[in-house]
Amino acid sequence: MVDQSSGLSKVKDSLTQKIFLGNEPNAELIAILTVYFVQGILGLSRLAVSFFLKDELMLSPVQVSALLGIVFLPWMIKPVFGFISDGLPIFGYRRRPYLILSGILGTASWASLATIVHTSWAATLAIALSSLSVAMSDVIVDSLVVERARDESQAKAGSLQSLCWGASAIGGLITAYSSGLLLQYFTTRTVFGITALFPLIVSGVAWLIAESPVNQDAQDSNQTNPLPIKHQLEQLRQAISQKTIWLPMAFIFIWQATPNAESAFFYFSTNELHFEPEFLGRVNLVGSFASLAGVWIFQRFLKSIPFRVIFAWSTVLSSLLGMTMLLLVTHTNRLLGIDDHWFSLGDSLILTVMGKIVFMQVMVLAARLCPSGVEATLFALLMSIYNSAGTVSQAFGALITYWLGITATNFESLWLLVLITNLSTLLPLPFINWLPAAEEQTEAAKDGEEAFLPDLMSELVLREPESKIVE
């Protein structure tokens, strides 16, 4: 009996070390990982949304680009959710009720898409609410992870964040292919109905979060004396007023705000090349593995390269590689004997790897910019600026698409859109000196800012907008 007990203990210890990276697999940890997993698995509806807007609501590429810009707004105001959660407890709790509400909101939005949404305005509202749901749960669960990461030993530093990132990555990999496969057999509304079930899981596991209620007296005191919040805002103001912080922030905004051809190219892939949903799911699956490859390449070979060098070379290479799309939109690949499907798979693989490498560098830069004391708040602000630039990118892309007369059936000028969007990625290069120099980067690392990097792992999958590398 003693041997059996000892054997079970060894199995548990092995699972704790190898599966949970040394973190005790208690109920709360399972809840946190489940929220990240659900955020990854919600990609199940990504292709369904695109086909719904195109085929059922009959929206043009320009309209879809504008809609995507609007529904991304919740990610631009993420710091607001953090302030609301911290300052307005519900029944004395700051985390659990907001997770429950986010799950209910997510289910309601997807259920409405599955049933009552029949107009573009209703679709915009429903998709925006689903985006709000994920952004809210993301802020809450990130705060839980950061709170618990402070108690990690040096030997386990970053293990919890890496575990959370892994849970989200698994969810994303599961849905990458199935998102297209389901559309081969079911309608988009059925896929929305299936997706609506997953946010309820977040509401369910929220009850497993170990949270003590806010002391009512302390709460009343904070309401009458909001100095901590004022002090934090003052620290934030002082931080962003520094030239060494706002110049790199401005560079990242310019870099991310250049127009993209995402929506127009989706219409080209489905209406002109007649790619089936199942194949598009296959492309997503290849892209998911390519993202992981990009992360590994960066961590293994590129993380010590100066910001200016890696941004300059990756921008130029991305622009050149993006030009290969001209072969596809002009059907030149067929003259070369390369099938449209194989060309798209290979192109997606290479561009996604490049995009992930650059995105990793953005995350590292964001970490370097965050001074002690306001790391989490300033990082959320940086991500909001990054996401805002993504909305501007969608708007510019929609405007150029409209000017060129590209519609759901007219792709004569698509080659020009691809050319413009690829060349526009070179526009930030004259401002490359706004990024920290190599010696500044090295000095920052020596000052201990590297310790903040593990907190960013979940950002690699959860908050990344659609690929900034031109399709």
Side-chain angles (χ1 to χ4, degrees), residues 220-332:
D220 293 339
S221 176
N222 288 336
Q223 287 177 349
T224 58
N225 185 23
L227 287 178
I229 295 180
K230 284 187 176 181
H231 180 65
Q232 187 179 26
L233 290 175
E234 178 61 23
Q235 281 187 304
L236 186 62
R237 186 196 66 78
Q238 292 177 357
I240 61 177
S241 64
Q242 298 177 30
K243 191 175 182 180
T244 54
I245 292 180
W246 67 260
L247 276 180
M249 290 169 58
F251 178 87
I252 294 300
F253 182 88
I254 296 172
W255 171 77
Q256 175 68 3
T258 55
N260 71 72
E262 177 189 337
S263 296
F265 194 77
F266 173 77
Y267 278 75
F268 176 77
S269 299
T270 53
N271 290 356
E272 176 74 14
L273 301 182
H274 305 292
F275 286 169
E276 296 293 328
E278 186 273 338
F279 175 74
L280 293 178
R282 204 179 308 169
V283 172
N284 285 341
L285 181 62
V286 170
S288 296
F289 281 109
S291 292
L292 294 177
V295 172
W296 180 82
I297 291 172
F298 178 84
Q299 291 286 351
R300 181 69 175 83
F301 303 107
L302 304 176
K303 63 180 180 180
S304 61
I305 296 178
F307 295 130
R308 295 179 184 179
V309 174
I310 197 168
F311 264 107
W313 279 104
S314 60
T315 298
V316 172
L317 288 176
S318 298
S319 181
L320 292 175
L321 291 172
M323 292 297 183
T324 60
M325 296 307 299
L326 291 172
L327 299 178
L328 188 63
V329 300
T330 59
H331 302 300
T332 305

Side-chain angles (χ1 to χ4, degrees), residues 265 268 273 316-334 336 338-340 342-352 354 414-415 417-423 425 469-471:
F265 194 77
F268 176 77
L273 301 182
V316 172
L317 288 176
S318 298
S319 181
L320 292 175
L321 291 172
M323 292 297 183
T324 60
M325 296 307 299
L326 291 172
L327 299 178
L328 188 63
V329 300
T330 59
H331 302 300
T332 305
N333 61 293
R334 297 175 183 177
L336 299 175
I338 305 175
D339 181 77
D340 293 339
W342 284 108
F343 188 92
S344 294
L345 280 174
D347 198 70
S348 175
L349 174 66
I350 297 172
L351 291 178
T352 302
M354 288 295 303
L414 183 57
W415 68 271
L417 177 63
V418 171
L419 185 65
I420 292 173
T421 53
N422 274 282
L423 290 177
T425 61
I469 303 302
V470 178
E471 295 82 352

Side-chain angles (χ1 to χ4, degrees), residues 54-76:
K54 180 177 78 76
D55 295 334
E56 298 189 38
L57 297 186
M58 307 299 291
L59 300 184
S60 67
V62 174
Q63 292 171 316
V64 170
S65 291
L67 185 150
L68 292 177
I70 293 173
V71 302
F72 207 60
L73 289 176
W75 291 95
M76 298 165 56

Side-chain angles (χ1 to χ4, degrees), residues 52-257:
F52 176 72
L53 298 177
K54 180 177 78 76
D55 295 334
E56 298 189 38
L57 297 186
M58 307 299 291
L59 300 184
S60 67
V62 174
Q63 292 171 316
V64 170
S65 291
L67 185 150
L68 292 177
I70 293 173
V71 302
F72 207 60
L73 289 176
W75 291 95
M76 298 165 56
I77 57 172
K78 276 183 56 180
V80 174
F81 303 144
F83 279 116
I84 292 175
S85 172
D86 289 335
L88 296 175
I90 299 178
F91 301 116
Y93 294 92
R94 298 184 302 157
R95 310 300 184 210
R96 192 186 299 162
Y98 285 99
L99 275 181
I100 295 172
L101 287 176
S102 71
I104 295 174
L105 180 62
T107 292
S109 60
W110 289 114
S112 65
L113 281 167
T115 54
I116 62 175
V117 170
H118 298 287
T119 66
S120 59
W121 286 108
T124 302
L125 177 61
I127 300 172
L129 289 177
S130 70
S131 180
L132 174 63
S133 165
V134 180
M136 182 188 301
S137 66
D138 180 60
V139 170
I140 300 303
V141 79
D142 273 355
S143 65
L144 291 171
V145 171
V146 171
E147 288 171 4
R148 282 144 187 80
R150 293 195 187 105
D151 298 327
E152 284 187 327
S153 65
Q154 185 63 32
K156 292 199 312 177
S159 63
L160 180 56
Q161 290 83 357
S162 298
L163 188 61
C164 295
W165 175 82
S168 177
I170 292 173
L173 285 172
I174 290 174
T175 59
Y177 179 69
S178 56
S179 62
L181 186 64
L182 284 175
L183 289 175
Q184 292 288 102
Y185 303 100
F186 303 101
T187 65
T188 57
R189 292 187 183 272
T190 301
V191 175
F192 294 151
I194 296 173
T195 305
L197 299 175
F198 293 106
L200 284 179
I201 298 176
V202 174
S203 297
V205 300
W207 296 99
L208 301 178
I209 299 298
E211 182 182 11
S212 300
V214 177
N215 183 275
Q216 187 63 42
D217 293 335
Q219 183 177 337
D220 293 339
S221 176
N222 288 336
Q223 287 177 349
T224 58
N225 185 23
L227 287 178
I229 295 180
K230 284 187 176 181
H231 180 65
Q232 187 179 26
L233 290 175
E234 178 61 23
Q235 281 187 304
L236 186 62
R237 186 196 66 78
Q238 292 177 357
I240 61 177
S241 64
Q242 298 177 30
K243 191 175 182 180
T244 54
I245 292 180
W246 67 260
L247 276 180
M249 290 169 58
F251 178 87
I252 294 300
F253 182 88
I254 296 172
W255 171 77
Q256 175 68 3

Side-chain angles (χ1 to χ4, degrees), residues 353-379:
V353 169
M354 288 295 303
K356 183 59 70 173
I357 289 173
V358 179
F359 187 72
M360 286 286 290
Q361 190 72 353
V362 172
M363 307 311 293
V364 174
L365 175 59
R368 293 279 188 266
L369 295 178
C370 295
S372 177
V374 289
E375 296 98 335
T377 305
L378 183 57
F379 185 77

Side-chain angles (χ1 to χ4, degrees), residues 435-455:
L435 295 176
E439 57 272 15
E440 295 172 346
Q441 181 174 342
T442 303
E443 182 181 352
K446 290 180 178 178
D447 289 341
E449 292 183 24
E450 187 72 29
F452 186 55
L453 289 182
D455 292 342

